[in-house]
Amino acid sequence: MKDYNKESLFTAAGKFIFGTGIIFLLLFLFYQKSLILSLDPNPNLSEITVEKIKLTRLYLLSISLVLIFISGAAKMLPVFNRYINRIMAIKPVRYFLLIMLPIVIFELYFQPLALQKPTILMRDDDLIWKLRPNSESIWAEAIVKINSKGLRGPELDYAKPADTKRILYLGDSITFGFSLKSYDQTFPCQVEEILEEDNNRKVETINAGVGGYSPWQEYIYLSKEGINYDPDLVVVAFTLTDVSEKLGLRRFGGDSEGAQLAASAITIFDWLSNKSRILYFIKEAVTNLRFNGDIEKMVPVEEGLKITQLIDEANDPDIKNAWEITLNNLGKIFDFCKSGNVPVILVIFPVASQFDDVENMSGPQLFVSRFASKKNVLSLDLLPLLSQRVKNKKVDLEDYFLGPLHLSAEGNKVVAELIADFIKESNILYF
């Protein structure tokens, strides 16, 4: 029988724990951004990813120190030494530890690399997708929180406080605040701040913007949910994708559920692969095998019309049909608001490519503006205003846009000023 009372005895169990601690310490020392670059051919070194790297290094260091401390305690304390040895003498325990060690190392080491699917969207029978209440996720490199009513921003009761004006915004990811780190940077929030400061009266904002939404979804939301907030003004944020994007959906003759659902964690396996890097890489490997490494086939493609077609092929039958569907749903929004004596305005957003030739590429904006005029709805076309501002201020277009469609934080600020001025000048929101 072995003598476990000798303090100098450093058992196999203690050596295993100590050796494991040294492994984690070495992993900590060599875990640097340069290593991430070498492991991933297309590294995603955003702020969030860098923070994940720092957190992983902290985990590695903490684990190594704990294991080294345990091994030291096992060497110095005979009672603890016997206890550790008895546990390690159990074969299933040894096998479990030997199996789990590489798994834990893999999960920790590759945690910052794999892109997680956002979890803020869910399926909906009427809208196809909507924001998931009480959810929080990273989306477009921003941490996004959704309140219990399924909206981004402060949660409001349906009952409107006295001496308060409410503005309900309908729109897509531009209104939602795509890639903006804070809700406060969105133009709806900033319009609220401007109007409150100028009128010295409380203004509340309901931001019902959802990525990928177009007027048919916005009408459903307005009539079923949005109107419950008793808005004093409805702002419809119109983008050219409102015409083109929906035609990729099965509901309109396409073959998909929408790029938003395809890019979100919807299935149980999606959720699990968000938590486990091993499952994530298995899923990626299976996808590569399925499509033989063809990246274009791996990415879900919307078969809807391209935005450029709205400008270049205005007389095409498909274009005319897309416009007819879009304007019909816009008309439903306008008529619904009028039936409830709720003022409504239309704000028309540009895409970055239109700034190359504003005069010849503004056809879609003029078309929808004329429709709004026929419906006696005020409209604000941002294309000429932003174009003039770019020229006058001598700023780069990239200062206002994050890409071809979405606004930067600065772009949201400028748009908020333009919308607030329009609301004040039109005297449509009576204070």
Side-chain angles (χ1 to χ4, degrees), residues 4 8-16 74-75 81 84-85:
Y4 291 106
S8 61
L9 182 63
F10 194 33
T11 64
K15 291 179 181 178
F16 174 80
K75 185 176 181 180
N81 187 23
I84 292 294
N85 273 276

Side-chain angles (χ1 to χ4, degrees), residues 377-394:
V377 171
L378 295 175
S379 63
L380 173 65
D381 183 359
L382 294 174
L383 176 58
L385 297 175
L386 288 176
S387 176
Q388 192 63 43
R389 192 172 185 118
V390 168
K391 292 179 182 178
N392 293 343
K393 300 289 185 179
K394 296 181 180 180

Side-chain angles (χ1 to χ4, degrees), residues 59-211:
Y59 287 151
L60 293 170
L61 178 60
S62 299
I63 292 172
S64 69
L65 294 178
V66 169
L67 291 174
I68 291 172
F69 174 81
I70 291 174
S71 67
K75 185 176 181 180
M76 301 298 296
L77 302 174
V79 174
F80 188 55
N81 187 23
R82 286 193 295 269
Y83 179 73
I84 292 294
N85 273 276
R86 285 170 183 168
I87 293 177
M88 294 294 289
I90 304 173
K91 282 187 177 181
V93 172
R94 292 204 304 270
Y95 294 150
F96 176 77
L97 292 175
L98 289 172
I99 292 172
M100 288 302 298
L101 178 59
I103 292 176
V104 170
I105 291 174
F106 187 94
E107 290 286 350
L108 281 174
Y109 226 67
F110 290 94
Q111 187 64 226
L113 284 182
L115 294 175
Q116 291 187 331
K117 283 189 171 184
T119 58
I120 60 171
L121 290 178
M122 60 184 293
R123 285 193 175 92
D124 184 81
D125 292 338
D126 295 325
L127 300 164
I128 303 183
W129 67 90
K130 66 179 181 180
L131 295 173
R132 186 186 302 276
N134 294 318
S135 61
E136 180 177 340
S137 180
I138 297 174
W139 187 40
E141 298 307 323
I143 299 175
V144 177
K145 295 181 180 180
I146 307 302
N147 63 41
S148 67
K149 287 190 170 68
L151 299 174
R152 188 182 189 186
E155 184 170 328
L156 301 176
D157 293 330
Y158 291 124
K160 183 172 57 180
D163 297 321
T164 298
K165 294 295 184 179
R166 277 186 171 174
I167 305 177
L168 170 65
Y169 290 83
L170 303 174
D172 59 9
S173 53
I174 297 176
T175 306
F176 175 87
F178 178 84
S179 201
L180 297 180
K181 296 178 182 179
S182 168
Y183 172 75
D184 294 342
Q185 294 177 314
T186 64
F187 72 83
C189 180
Q190 295 189 66
V191 170
E192 173 188 307
E193 293 174 355
I194 294 172
L195 293 178
E196 282 188 333
E197 183 177 348
D198 290 352
N199 295 279
N200 195 28
R201 187 168 180 179
K202 179 66 176 175
V203 177
E204 292 183 339
T205 299
I206 302 99
N207 186 344
V210 179

Side-chain angles (χ1 to χ4, degrees), residues 13 20 47 49 120 129 142 155 159 166 172 184 188 195 219 223 228 251 273 293 307 317 339 371 385 396 399 406:
T20 304
E47 282 186 34
T49 304
I120 60 171
W129 67 90
E155 184 170 328
R166 277 186 171 174
D172 59 9
D184 294 342
L195 293 178
Y219 168 71
S223 59
N228 295 329
R251 186 171 298 196
S273 62
I307 290 177
S339 67
F371 173 78
L385 297 175
D396 294 330
D399 293 337
H406 296 103

Side-chain angles (χ1 to χ4, degrees), residues 324-336:
E324 183 178 353
I325 296 171
T326 304
L327 296 183
N328 179 55
N329 285 297
L330 266 181
K332 287 182 178 180
I333 294 174
F334 297 157
D335 292 342
F336 183 85

